[in-house]
Amino acid sequence: MLTKKGAATRLRIIEAAADEIRERGVNGATLDDVCRRSGTGKSQLFHYFPDGKEQLLLAVAQREADRVLEDQQPHLGRLTTWTAWEKWRDAVVERYRRQGVHCPLGVLITELGRHTPAAQEVTGRLIEQWEAQVRAGVEAMRESGDVGADIDPERAAMAIVAAIQGGVTILMSTGSARYLRSALDLCLDHLRATGRAART
């Protein structure tokens, strides 16, 4: 169990490593650079990350995964009106538009190995948390009658998250966020239509 000071030092090392990776890439970021940027020594770094760079990269990947959800707040946690859904969609599109063709999380997971248990756990937890919050929004809209009662919130949430990931993949290949916005717009249009149909 880390002390408050220890947790702050560990986070400072992770943030420094993330900044180094953004500037230099995974291969260009050295532990010496991370120590310099974070104002820590090698002994401190290995105290928090005894397995070295791979363990640190995994911690950075987890931090980047957390940021994916943080950047969508407060909208992601308030999907109870169509205005809220539109603000969330705009936040998602803007986040990935700013990120552009470089995805630190994707690079890190690739470097760690997509099929390693640790990397799978990071991405799996991110998707589960993301899906759960979208599902809660669909459930709220279904209860209010803005989404049809026949909509399965779990399937709808899974489809929406998959649409985002597909749009982000194309954005990383082309630099265009149009596909991401179109995919989200189509998902929201479909949900709206089910609500309208239920009221007629």
Side-chain angles (χ1 to χ4, degrees):
M1 186 72 175
L2 292 177
T3 64
K4 187 174 181 180
K5 182 178 179 181
T9 300
R10 184 179 186 275
L11 180 59
R12 193 166 75 249
I13 293 170
I14 292 170
E15 296 283 4
D19 290 340
E20 286 294 323
I21 289 166
R22 288 190 189 93
E23 291 179 12
R24 305 170 186 267
V26 173
N27 294 327
T30 69
L31 294 183
D32 286 334
D33 292 328
V34 173
C35 288
R36 174 188 49 76
R37 187 183 283 259
S38 62
T40 57
K42 277 278 187 73
S43 61
Q44 282 179 291
L45 188 148
F46 280 101
H47 171 73
Y48 296 106
F49 304 99
D51 294 334
K53 188 173 182 179
E54 184 171 336
Q55 186 179 12
L56 176 57
L57 290 179
L58 188 61
V60 175
Q62 182 61 64
R63 179 67 187 125
E64 291 295 323
D66 292 341
R67 278 195 174 119
V68 169
L69 299 182
E70 288 170 6
D71 289 349
Q72 297 175 48
Q73 299 296 355
H75 313 296
L76 181 58
R78 301 175 181 174
L79 298 176
T80 56
T81 66
W82 287 124
T83 298
W85 279 86
E86 289 163 4
K87 287 181 178 179
W88 170 70
R89 174 207 58 204
D90 292 344
V92 170
V93 173
E94 178 58 19
R95 180 203 191 276
Y96 285 105
R97 187 196 64 75
R98 287 197 317 269
Q99 176 180 283
V101 298
H102 302 292
C103 177
L105 178 60
V107 170
L108 285 160
I109 294 299
T110 299
E111 178 72 15
L112 292 165
R114 290 183 185 276
H115 304 295
T116 63
Q120 284 183 332
E121 185 178 351
V122 170
T123 53
R125 190 184 305 119
L126 167 62
I127 296 300
E128 286 175 6
Q129 292 173 342
W130 203 346
E131 180 195 324
Q133 294 195 58
V134 174
R135 183 174 68 244
V138 176
E139 289 170 349
M141 298 296 280
R142 193 174 69 166
E143 289 174 8
S144 67
D146 289 305
V147 166
D150 59 336
I151 289 294
D152 181 334
E154 182 177 13
R155 290 186 66 211
M158 290 172 69
I160 291 168
V161 172
I164 293 171
Q165 290 302 297
V168 170
T169 298
I170 295 175
L171 187 155
M172 290 171 62
S173 300
T174 66
S176 173
R178 291 174 56 223
Y179 298 90
L180 173 59
R181 176 173 282 277
S182 294
L184 278 173
D185 282 345
L186 196 62
C187 289
L188 268 58
D189 288 347
H190 172 68
L191 291 177
R192 274 199 191 92
T194 66
R196 287 196 296 267
R199 290 192 293 271
T200 58

